[in-house]
Amino acid sequence: MNISIIGCGYVGLVTGVCLASIGHRVLCVDSDQEKIKKLKAGHVPIYEPGLDALMREAVKKGRLSFGGSVREATQKTDVIFIAVGTPSKKNGEADLTYVENVARQIAMSMTAYKLIIEKSTVPAETGKRIERTIRLNLPKRSKTIPFDVASNPEFLREGSAIEDFMNPDRVVIGVESARAEKILREIYQPLNPHIVVTNINSAEIIKHASNSFLATKISFANALAQICDRVGADVLKVAEGMGYDKRIGKSFLRAGIGYGGSCFPKDVDAFIRLSERSGYQFNLLKEVRQVNEEQKAIFVRLIEDKLWILKDKVIGVLGLAFKPDTDDMRNAPSLDIIAALQKEGAKVKAYDPQAMGQARKVLKKVTFCKDIYALAKGCDCLLLLTEWGEFKKINFKKVKTLMRQAVIFDGRNLYHADRLNDLGYEYYGIGRGVSV
Ligand code: NAD
């Protein structure tokens, strides 16, 4: 099938590359010409394991190309995925400017039937608005051209995006016509996934509800951690004991410094706003957001309490990305935590295996180090903020000889307190039985 993807970000690029590698012919378009230039030259602008090899292969086979415009994409292909950003407005609502813009451009170039698929995460009723925008912007001569709008939300996780795309738990398709359903089924047929078919509004809600539910699990674990610290329980064991119950499940029941990234904070905000606009106060989600915000402040308070004076203390940060296996710094908890420590006069050094390039653009007065050992040198404490695989293999004996004081704050509960205590470290995790 001939498909175009509008927007070559994390979602658009992964979608384009994967659809090409399962046999479709894909044209990826982006308004950022620098990005297109890089992609044409064979460079993947983001860090996503396995993506560059798959992309090169698809290009070599002649199934994947980059460039052009929305106009060209509309003229050359009958199936168009919209995968542009939907950032938050100041009030938390999803900013759909880019989506509207693309819908208008598609309308103005249509000369035959098109299926326009929302891949971006959007609030309920966006499909209806896209449909209306296209209808209003069709040139006079094209007013009778048939078209369908569909929703096909994306559930991939950065860091394992290809695996998630190729082996999805489910594919959700929100459609209002048999023709649209048939095309979408055909697109995904090579993956033979479990397909949930529904109307567009329900598909849009499924995405917001899924991310909000996962955020709720994280905030629940973080709230539990607070109780565990106060009564001397270990949140890791509590979560383990709960997680074996199949009705609950182990995943996302992890206490830490809170969720971040480009999706959860934005999608929780957008879902709260959508609920408000529809006349319902989603107080449960407001609390989820509140717990998440507090979690970072609590971690900073713990550091302040244990280090006593922060002014001129040297703090080494292990991990900056919002999660491992990505270089994405959008809404990373490290940003707020570092800013709070710097405000108190601490000197921050940092090391991240992949995200330092992105981090340099958003972090000021941070000394970036080439490896863990350069980071540890002269530090009064280490903070583990992203649980990269590399950090599981640290030689803590060696690290201790480099630090000024052997103190570790483990924001992801990655390490065993006993092992580090045995090596002479003071160890503090989240919800491991230490209250401040
Ligand atoms: P992104 O910011 O990485 O990429 C968006 C791209 O769209 C950018 O390259 C931008 O230049 C391009 N763009 C904007 N306007 C355009 C236009 N008029 N024409 C062509 N290109 C245009 O965003 P992302 O992380 O890929 O997210 C895209 C959407 O997918 C969002 O709605 C997001 O919520 C959703 N989503 C993201 C993830 C994730 O893990 N990142 C997962 C599931 C869903």
Side-chain angles (χ1 to χ4, degrees):
M1 202 174 286
N2 281 330
I3 295 171
S4 55
I5 314 272
I6 315 298
C8 301
Y10 283 84
V11 167
L13 188 57
V14 170
T15 304
V17 169
C18 291
L19 288 178
S21 70
I22 59 171
H24 301 296
R25 286 176 74 87
V26 182
L27 168 65
C28 289
V29 172
D30 201 290
S31 51
D32 179 345
Q33 291 313 314
E34 273 306 302
K35 200 177 259 190
I36 289 295
K37 224 166 136 190
K38 273 191 193 156
L39 288 164
K40 276 186 166 168
H43 300 302
V44 177
I46 51 170
Y47 174 73
E48 182 59 47
L51 188 59
D52 44 359
L54 210 59
M55 184 177 107
R56 273 197 299 274
E57 195 188 303
V59 170
K60 209 167 138 195
K61 285 186 177 157
R63 294 211 201 111
L64 180 64
S65 58
F66 301 100
S69 57
V70 175
R71 187 157 158 248
E72 199 182 324
T74 309
Q75 285 165 351
K76 283 190 175 163
T77 63
D78 292 342
V79 178
I80 306 163
F81 280 89
I82 302 180
V84 296
T86 50
S88 288
K89 286 189 198 170
K90 272 211 173 79
N91 66 2
E93 223 164 83
D95 182 349
L96 300 171
T97 310
Y98 301 127
V99 175
E100 192 210 38
N101 196 341
V102 171
R104 203 175 317 117
Q105 288 182 62
I106 292 173
M108 291 189 301
S109 320
M110 271 169 55
T111 50
Y113 173 83
K114 305 289 158 195
L115 172 60
I116 299 107
I117 306 166
E118 322 165 326
K119 194 65 154 154
S120 303
T121 302
V122 292
E125 302 202 307
T126 301
K128 284 204 172 65
R129 289 180 185 277
I130 293 177
E131 200 261 342
R132 183 168 177 273
T133 302
I134 293 177
R135 223 172 349 93
L136 289 174
N137 287 277
L138 278 172
K140 256 197 193 129
R141 61 186 150 71
S142 314
K143 285 285 181 210
T144 53
I145 294 175
F147 69 93
D148 280 305
V149 173
S151 165
N152 172 221
E154 184 49 60
F155 299 97
L156 61 78
R157 294 163 300 173
E158 287 175 23
S160 53
I162 293 168
E163 168 65 17
D164 290 346
F165 193 95
M166 297 297 197
N167 296 295
D169 294 335
R170 79 307 203 185
V171 166
V172 172
I173 59 179
V175 285
E176 315 268 324
S177 84
R179 187 174 188 177
E181 180 180 341
K182 185 168 174 282
I183 295 172
L184 271 155
R185 282 188 181 277
E186 230 173 284
I187 291 172
Y188 285 104
Q189 193 271 331
L191 298 176
N192 194 23
H194 178 74
I195 296 185
V196 178
V197 183
T198 177
N199 63 19
I200 297 177
N201 278 341
S202 303
E204 290 163 337
I205 294 259
I206 287 170
K207 176 63 192 178
H208 268 158
S210 300
N211 275 1
S212 298
F213 189 78
L214 293 172
T216 303
K217 269 188 108 175
I218 295 172
S219 281
F220 189 89
N222 282 330
L224 270 183
Q226 296 313 309
I227 302 167
C228 289
D229 272 340
R230 282 163 180 76
V231 303
D234 183 349
V235 75
L236 277 185
K237 283 286 158 196
V238 174
E240 186 189 342
M242 291 171 65
Y244 274 105
D245 186 327
K246 288 192 195 70
R247 296 168 302 176
I248 297 172
K250 287 181 196 161
S251 59
F252 283 77
L253 207 57
R254 278 196 75 104
I257 47 174
Y259 57 76
S262 68
C263 292
F264 283 11
K266 154 176 100 63
D267 294 348
V268 167
D269 279 354
F271 207 28
I272 290 171
R273 284 293 295 166
L274 173 78
S275 307
E276 263 165 12
R277 282 180 64 158
S278 67
Y280 175 69
Q281 290 297 328
F282 210 146
N283 291 327
L284 173 65
L285 272 190
K286 289 183 187 169
E287 205 51 45
V288 165
R289 179 171 63 185
Q290 181 66 20
V291 168
N292 196 60
E293 280 311 303
E294 277 168 11
Q295 205 60 19
K296 291 175 271 188
I298 289 168
F299 190 62
V300 171
R301 278 212 300 278
L302 174 72
I303 299 164
E304 272 176 329
D305 183 62
K306 301 304 171 194
L307 282 194
W308 193 18
I309 308 295
L310 284 187
K311 189 164 183 328
D312 293 332
K313 288 266 162 68
V314 181
I315 295 183
V317 174
L318 286 162
L320 295 165
F322 85 95
K323 68 172 187 176
D325 298 319
T326 180
D327 61 352
D328 200 341
M329 286 296 298
R330 291 179 287 184
N331 276 312
S334 63
L335 297 174
D336 288 344
I337 291 170
I338 289 173
L341 297 171
Q342 286 178 327
K343 201 166 160 227
E344 291 302 314
K347 293 180 174 150
V348 177
K349 297 170 76 178
Y351 168 71
D352 186 289
Q354 292 294 338
M356 290 200 288
Q358 296 298 332
R360 274 178 218 276
K361 297 178 192 165
V362 285
L363 282 170
K364 300 277 164 288
K365 291 189 185 154
V366 168
T367 308
F368 293 97
C369 302
K370 69 175 194 321
D371 60 30
I372 293 160
Y373 305 100
L375 175 82
K377 210 163 174 209
C379 279
D380 292 291
C381 74
L382 289 178
L383 315 184
L384 187 282
L385 299 189
T386 316
E387 64 277 40
W388 284 92
E390 184 178 327
F391 298 159
K392 293 179 189 154
K393 300 174 216 144
I394 293 178
N395 179 346
F396 276 110
K397 237 186 204 169
K398 181 172 168 191
V399 163
K400 185 162 176 276
T401 63
L402 299 166
M403 293 178 71
R404 206 147 63 179
Q405 318 183 135
V407 182
I408 290 190
F409 298 93
D410 181 357
R412 301 291 184 179
N413 287 341
L414 186 70
Y415 300 121
H416 292 277
D418 294 349
R419 275 187 220 157
L420 286 169
N421 289 339
D422 287 350
L423 288 173
Y425 283 90
E426 259 186 39
Y427 170 89
Y428 301 99
I430 309 276
R432 315 297 299 277
V434 180
S435 177
V436 285

